[in-house]
Amino acid sequence: MTLTARHRPAIAPVAGQVVLLHGFGANAEDLLGLDTEFARPDLDLWAVEAPLPCPGTEAGRMWYDLMQTDWPGLPEAITALQDWLQALPEQHGQPLSKTLLLGFSQGAAMTLEMGARLPVKGLMVCSGYWHPTLRWPDAQTLTAFVTHGTIDPVVPFEASEEIHRRLQAAGCQSQLLPTQSGHWIDRPAIAALRDFLNQQLPPHVTEP
């Protein structure tokens, strides 16, 4: 499995990088609008395309097949994404310690998989869920921001409550933000994600 990604490089001295992982049936373009919302010229931004075409969509992709109970393709997707992320520092110079992952829905579930395996700076988990096979290692503690709409008809809000509990139990610093929205990232969540991003990867301060 080979992954591709859209890259919006920094146009100022680089403070770090953000990797965006879209949801089921979307594609790499789906979350690129967050670039404008974050308004950070000192960030490298990557939007990774899921490896599989999504049936019933014109240009949609999926990380694995959610429509089948055994989720075929999940192990291969995990391996492919882990390999892609591990290659980033050597290829583009930004270490994983200055890398934030942001995932939505199925991409949020993949974000958690990577957080359990790689020494990234932190996680932004939007409207996601915990894979039943995921076992969080005791030694892996990081900072996470979890947000979810309380009226989400696709992935229930309780799924993010479970994520928050599991991360806290593992010793991670996890924040949970409920919003009055459905299955999307609403304005309050975007503002909170921007604040979290700025805390984890502080912008460069230009000397007078």
Side-chain angles (χ1 to χ4, degrees):
M1 243 182 215
T2 301
L3 299 182
T4 60
R6 290 288 305 276
H7 182 208
R8 289 191 178 171
I11 56 174
V14 183
Q17 63 189 358
V18 178
V19 176
L20 307 172
L21 305 178
H22 66 78
F24 181 86
N27 56 43
E29 299 288 333
D30 187 56
L31 297 177
L32 278 175
L34 291 173
D35 185 29
T36 302
E37 299 291 347
F38 293 155
R40 289 283 301 273
D42 59 349
L43 291 177
D44 270 342
L45 190 75
W46 298 88
V48 185
E49 187 108 300
L52 302 174
C54 184
T57 67
E58 184 173 340
R61 310 288 294 181
M62 61 184 183
W63 294 95
Y64 52 88
D65 191 350
L66 269 175
M67 309 311 292
Q68 299 188 52
T69 55
D70 57 347
W71 291 353
L74 175 57
E76 294 83 0
I78 290 172
T79 298
L81 184 54
Q82 183 173 347
D83 290 347
W84 186 88
L85 285 167
Q86 286 178 316
L88 267 186
E90 182 176 350
Q91 293 177 358
H92 296 278
Q94 289 301 306
L96 292 179
S97 61
K98 289 188 176 181
T99 301
L100 291 175
L101 306 181
L102 187 157
F104 175 76
S105 195
Q106 191 182 49
M110 295 297 293
T111 292
L112 290 166
E113 292 283 355
M114 296 302 104
R117 290 167 168 79
L118 298 174
V120 294
K121 177 68 174 176
L123 308 178
M124 293 179 276
V125 184
C126 306
S127 305
Y129 54 94
W130 190 280
H131 290 146
T133 54
L134 176 57
R135 299 292 179 265
W136 197 273
D138 294 336
Q140 183 68 325
T141 58
L142 43 67
T143 303
F145 185 86
V146 183
T147 184
H148 204 132
T150 56
I151 54 173
D152 188 335
V154 178
V155 179
F157 172 72
E158 289 75 18
S160 280
E161 290 184 309
E162 178 189 9
I163 291 169
H164 179 59
R165 287 195 302 268
R166 285 179 176 269
L167 290 176
Q168 285 195 320
C172 299
Q173 299 178 36
S174 176
Q175 306 171 55
L176 174 62
L177 175 68
T179 65
Q180 295 297 314
S181 66
H183 197 60
W184 59 83
I185 306 174
D186 67 0
R187 302 303 306 179
I190 289 172
L193 290 166
R194 183 169 55 241
D195 289 344
F196 178 80
L197 167 60
N198 291 338
Q199 291 166 8
Q200 299 302 307
L201 297 174
H204 284 295
V205 177
T206 303
E207 295 294 335

